[in-house]
Amino acid sequence: LAKTTQPISMDSYEGQEVNITCSHNNIATNDYITWYQQFPSQGPRFIIQGYKTKVTNEVASLFIPADRKSSTLSLPRVSLSDTAVYYCLVVENSGYALNFGKGTSLLVTP
Amino acid sequence: GAGVSQSPSNKVTEKGKDVELRCDPISGHTALYWYRQSLGQGLEFLIYFQGNSAPDKSGLPSDRFSAERTGGSVSTLTIQRTQQEDSAVYLCASSLARAQETQYFGPGTRLLVL
């Protein structure tokens, strides 16, 4: 299983851009990088997934360098409602056991 | 359409009792997962069902834990002889076909063992 490492917590003010970086040094060739968001008392929900370079959707952007040993989730102009835990996962194309880890707890304040 | 549903939403039980937790996945989803989340912790994988294949039980913490999936749809997670350390939120998720695809989570069942 590819292990991921991400910061335990981050703080930001409203309106700022937040970048959360995840390390996955032993990612395999066919693995995908996926990010989930979890609000208190709710199950996680999918944010974005990518394989390489950059992926953007209405919620976030995901930057993946050429070596794919890390990835950065970028949240533009965060609001208070973006306060949540963000999980970085390496989804193995050949496997299925998923390790969510402890995620990054993001606190957005006014 | 309806999302993943779980019941009960909350369960309080006494140490030593058995509990059953239910998960109704999204219709048509062949993959189903159970996770456990203790207070302030990340998600711990428990078990994975994929279609008619034998489930991956590698995450179950002890033989007191078991799960079934009947007819490829509803799943039940059973914890026998509950212990206080079993207290956690139990989350169920489903995906269309494989773990590589987006998982849709239910609201969870909050289990408290006294």
Side-chain angles (χ1 to χ4, degrees), chain A residues 36 38 92-93 96 98 101, chain B residues 37 41-42 56 100 103 110:
Chain A
Y36 283 78
Q38 185 179 27
E92 300 184 2
N93 199 40
Y96 38 75
L98 299 179
Chain B
Q37 188 169 35
Q41 301 297 309
D56 174 10
Q100 297 78 16
Q103 292 189 33
R110 287 155 185 76

Side-chain angles (χ1 to χ4, degrees), chain A residues 52-53 64-69:
Chain A
K52 62 180 178 181
T53 63
I64 305 169
D67 66 6
R68 306 201 324 123
K69 293 184 182 299

Side-chain angles (χ1 to χ4, degrees), chain B residues 30-66:
Chain B
T30 62
L32 186 147
Y33 321 78
W34 283 98
Y35 296 88
R36 177 170 71 174
Q37 188 169 35
S38 301
L39 188 63
Q41 301 297 309
L43 277 71
E44 175 188 5
F45 167 77
L46 297 178
I47 188 170
Y48 166 69
F49 294 90
Q50 173 53 63
N52 296 321
S53 302
D56 174 10
K57 305 179 181 180
S58 61
L60 294 178
S62 76
D63 58 7
R64 297 187 295 105
F65 288 73
S66 62

Side-chain angles (χ1 to χ4, degrees), chain A residues 9-22:
Chain A
S9 64
M10 295 182 69
D11 297 330
S12 178
Y13 293 109
E14 274 189 297
Q16 290 188 328
E17 178 183 81
V18 171
N19 296 307
I20 306 174
T21 297
C22 178

Side-chain angles (χ1 to χ4, degrees), chain B residues 66-87:
Chain B
S66 62
E68 292 184 344
R69 189 177 186 192
T70 56
S73 181
V74 172
S75 177
T76 301
L77 177 68
T78 301
I79 309 173
Q80 296 178 313
R81 305 181 302 282
T82 53
Q83 303 295 313
Q84 289 182 332
E85 59 264 28
D86 298 334
S87 296

